[in-house]
Amino acid sequence: MKICLLPLDSRPCTCVFPQQLAEIAGVELIAPPRRLLGFFKQPSVQTQIAAWLDKACGGCDALVVSVEQLVYGGLIASRQNERSTEECLAALEQLRALKKRYPALRIYADNILMRTTVSAVSEESWKWWGQVSVVARLTYEAAVCPPEEKAACEKALDEARQKVPPAVLEQFFAARARNKAVNHACVALAGEGVFEQLLILQEDCSERGLQWLEQKELEEAIEKNGLREKVFLHNGTDEAAMEQLMLAAQPGRAQAVQVVWLGGNTAFTARYEDRPFADNLAGHMRALDLYPAHEAQDCLCILPPLDRQGDYCPQRVCDGDYTPAQRAEMAQKVAALYQEGHNCYLLDVAYANGGDPAFMQRLAQEMPLLSLCGYAAWNTASNSLGTILGQLCASNGQNGPLNRRFTAERLLDDLFYQSTVREKAERRIREAGLDFWGFSDQDQAQRILDESFAGDLSMLRTLFQDKIPGFTARLYWPRTFELEILLKPQQKL
């Protein structure tokens, strides 16, 4: 199996994770040099991407392609309005041309339904992140409210718009309109048979926001063209390549998964998402040809929040935590499944943007954490969900050296860094006068980060039972939100 991958951008989660899963699965992956994929706020060069893609697809069985990379130059660029609708639709035509040139090439595309606020890439943009979210919500309210509430809704919307610079809102809505045209063009390509499968991922949003108006139109187009088994729309973004890659590597293979809820809260809606998490779970599994089965060997163990999901960004927020007795009971449930011979994959979504250290340290008392076949707890719940499902498909129940390395890196990154180290590092970076959303001196920030890691290893001793693996932690982009954490090449587990 030889697969060509055009990732969303150059971040570790979108660029490195898929390559690691491909290696676990034994798939030959052709990916562009990282330098071609753009960097932070600088988009890739469309002509270079098009030239690379045209050459790379020759001899491949499948193509996994990010529409955002192809037409906008990356995720952050997709939220700007630098490229016109006409330019983007013209760039999208390359996929039709590739399918015509290579009829046997199976194309798996992912396309994003734009988030309901702006990018947080600086302290300045962070100020408007919340305000634009309010505008997006009130735009929806004004569109769907009863006639007798129309005047009040429009008044509230107008007041919210007055709090945001006109240029910020102009770019936000212009980008949405352009991206909407690309979304619909992608559905049309799926209808023509250009795409084997299309994922439309709803980026960060809330339960009430203008994305629902756009989703309704897309759902109608999907239904009208009979594409329910080919086009899937649910929450997510950064995990798409991992899921599509595994589907491309194993076409037509349905796989049973036992879903085990460790806590009783199965009806929560995660932060930054617009529907119950259970709906997203069903949607992601269906897109991957995974189906729930009570006696399946592979177990997806889900740690839900006690009540409302907590958060670690920009600082820890917790609306309720499990008691020690509850943690012990849930940990023992996972350990019992492992002792019975099940392959246990742990999805930790008690918090957004990081794992639950208290639970994981309790689980480490019951079983070696690297006996887990997978772990994920980063960014949004659907980002974590897609990652753990990708690892489940890639490893196929085999917890070999490559799979254990990936799990160890997720424990170091998703759990230790995101929940513990990042907040401390960000505080010190602020004290040094740097903007942690996009710092100007990356070397200084890296030194602060290294010191922050070295200053707190007690949790790692518990998680890894005093056998802390050697690893490197690098700020690939000039911000603290994500790291590239890799075990050292000689490290054995």
Side-chain angles (χ1 to χ4, degrees):
M1 181 65 66
K2 185 177 179 181
I3 299 175
C4 179
L5 169 69
L6 183 64
L8 177 59
D9 52 32
S10 62
R11 287 173 298 154
C13 57
T14 55
C15 189
V16 178
F17 290 9
Q19 296 185 53
Q20 292 175 310
L21 293 188
E23 192 176 5
I24 292 169
V27 171
E28 182 181 357
L29 193 67
I30 309 298
R34 214 163 171 183
R35 57 180 172 76
L36 286 187
L37 296 172
F39 184 79
F40 194 36
K41 292 185 280 187
Q42 182 63 44
S44 61
V45 178
Q46 202 277 326
T47 53
Q48 293 179 354
I49 290 295
W52 177 87
L53 187 60
D54 193 55
K55 183 182 294 186
C57 284
C60 287
D61 299 288
L63 165 64
V64 173
V65 57
S66 163
V67 170
E68 273 59 37
Q69 175 58 237
L70 180 65
V71 307
Y72 308 120
L75 179 60
I76 290 180
S78 75
R79 303 169 191 156
Q80 310 301 317
N81 196 35
E82 300 301 319
R83 295 182 184 175
S84 69
T85 302
E86 292 73 24
E87 289 173 319
C88 293
L89 293 175
L92 190 62
E93 283 297 309
Q94 185 179 9
L95 298 179
R96 181 183 277 112
L98 282 171
K99 185 65 175 177
K100 185 175 181 180
R101 183 178 175 188
Y102 305 112
L105 182 71
R106 293 177 286 113
I107 301 178
Y108 298 82
D110 52 87
N111 182 211
I112 293 164
L113 206 163
M114 186 175 157
R115 61 162 50 187
T116 52
T117 189
V118 296
S119 298
V121 292
S122 66
E123 290 282 5
E124 177 69 16
S125 61
W126 176 247
K127 287 195 304 186
W128 309 125
W129 184 89
Q131 293 289 352
V132 175
S133 294
V134 173
V135 171
R137 176 177 59 81
L138 292 174
T139 299
Y140 172 75
E141 300 284 3
V144 301
C145 67
E148 64 271 17
E149 298 176 12
K150 195 77 169 176
C153 287
E154 290 181 347
K155 181 175 184 293
L157 173 60
D158 184 61
E159 291 173 352
R161 292 180 69 103
Q162 296 301 317
K163 297 176 182 177
V164 185
V168 172
L169 288 179
E170 182 180 347
Q171 176 168 267
F172 174 71
F173 282 103
R176 291 200 79 83
R178 177 203 59 194
N179 293 11
K180 177 181 173 181
V182 171
N183 292 148
H184 282 271
C186 286
V187 173
L189 287 173
E192 293 171 27
V194 174
F195 297 154
E196 197 80 10
Q197 178 166 290
L198 171 65
L199 295 185
I200 301 178
L201 291 316
Q202 176 58 64
E203 204 185 355
D204 293 5
C205 58
S206 61
E207 293 180 78
R208 295 185 70 80
L210 56 77
Q211 83 277 0
W212 283 115
L213 306 175
E214 297 159 337
Q215 286 183 27
K216 183 182 179 189
E217 291 184 24
L218 285 167
E219 293 282 7
E220 288 172 352
I222 293 167
E223 188 69 39
K224 179 180 177 181
N225 291 283
L227 297 173
R228 283 288 171 201
E229 300 305 314
K230 198 169 191 175
V231 181
F232 301 87
L233 195 165
H234 44 239
N235 293 121
T237 292
D238 298 334
E239 77 292 339
M242 290 180 270
E243 293 183 317
Q244 295 279 61
L245 179 60
M246 290 304 104
L247 190 68
Q250 304 167 346
R253 177 188 170 214
Q255 185 172 346
V257 178
Q258 183 178 165
V259 177
V260 179
W261 291 88
L262 301 179
N265 184 12
T266 62
F268 74 98
T269 296
R271 291 178 186 265
Y272 314 109
E273 299 187 350
D274 60 9
R275 66 202 69 192
F277 178 72
D279 291 356
N280 281 320
L281 173 63
H284 281 252
M285 287 184 62
R286 195 167 69 89
L288 268 170
D289 281 339
L290 302 174
Y291 62 93
H294 181 65
E295 299 298 329
Q297 190 73 11
D298 292 334
C299 290
L300 177 64
C301 301
I302 303 175
L303 177 67
L306 179 64
D307 186 13
R308 185 168 183 243
Q309 190 185 39
D311 200 355
Y312 287 110
C313 185
Q315 59 272 321
R316 183 176 184 269
V317 175
C318 179
D319 294 328
D321 220 342
Y322 290 108
T323 66
Q326 288 171 320
R327 293 190 198 105
E329 182 181 353
M330 294 187 296
Q332 288 160 7
K333 184 184 292 189
V334 179
L337 289 166
Y338 167 66
Q339 292 296 334
E340 291 167 7
H342 289 284
N343 309 314
C344 295
Y345 299 81
L346 178 56
L347 176 60
D348 182 351
V349 288
Y351 289 82
N353 296 302
D356 186 338
F359 172 74
M360 293 305 293
Q361 289 179 90
R362 184 63 184 83
L363 180 60
Q365 297 175 30
E366 298 291 334
M367 61 183 287
L369 293 186
L370 292 184
S371 296
L372 293 169
C373 288
Y375 176 78
W378 67 285
N379 211 338
T380 69
S382 285
N383 290 156
S384 291
L385 171 62
T387 305
I388 200 73
L389 292 180
Q391 188 177 7
L392 186 152
C393 293
S395 61
N396 195 26
Q398 303 299 308
N399 196 13
L402 292 175
N403 192 65
R404 289 197 300 274
R405 288 181 73 89
F406 191 74
T407 301
E409 288 166 1
R410 303 283 60 74
L411 290 167
L412 290 165
D413 189 344
D414 303 12
L415 181 63
F416 181 55
Y417 173 67
Q418 297 292 349
S419 72
T420 304
V421 177
R422 180 161 57 87
E423 186 175 357
K424 298 175 183 177
E426 287 173 352
R427 183 172 62 249
R428 293 189 59 194
I429 286 171
R430 278 200 201 94
E431 291 169 353
L434 298 177
D435 178 354
F436 71 82
W437 291 108
F439 29 78
S440 54
D441 190 336
Q442 192 154 341
D443 290 338
Q444 183 183 8
Q446 183 68 52
R447 286 193 297 273
I448 293 172
L449 183 79
D450 293 340
E451 292 166 0
S452 299
F453 267 103
D456 187 359
L457 296 178
S458 60
M459 184 195 300
L460 290 186
R461 293 190 184 95
T462 301
L463 297 176
F464 292 99
Q465 299 179 336
D466 290 324
K467 298 176 183 177
I468 303 174
F471 65 94
T472 59
R474 179 171 68 129
L475 290 163
Y476 187 76
W477 277 10
R479 66 182 191 181
T480 57
F481 192 66
E482 63 270 305
L483 279 190
E484 183 168 283
I485 293 185
L486 298 172
L487 293 194
K488 292 182 177 179
Q490 69 275 18
Q491 177 66 55
K492 294 183 179 180
L493 299 171

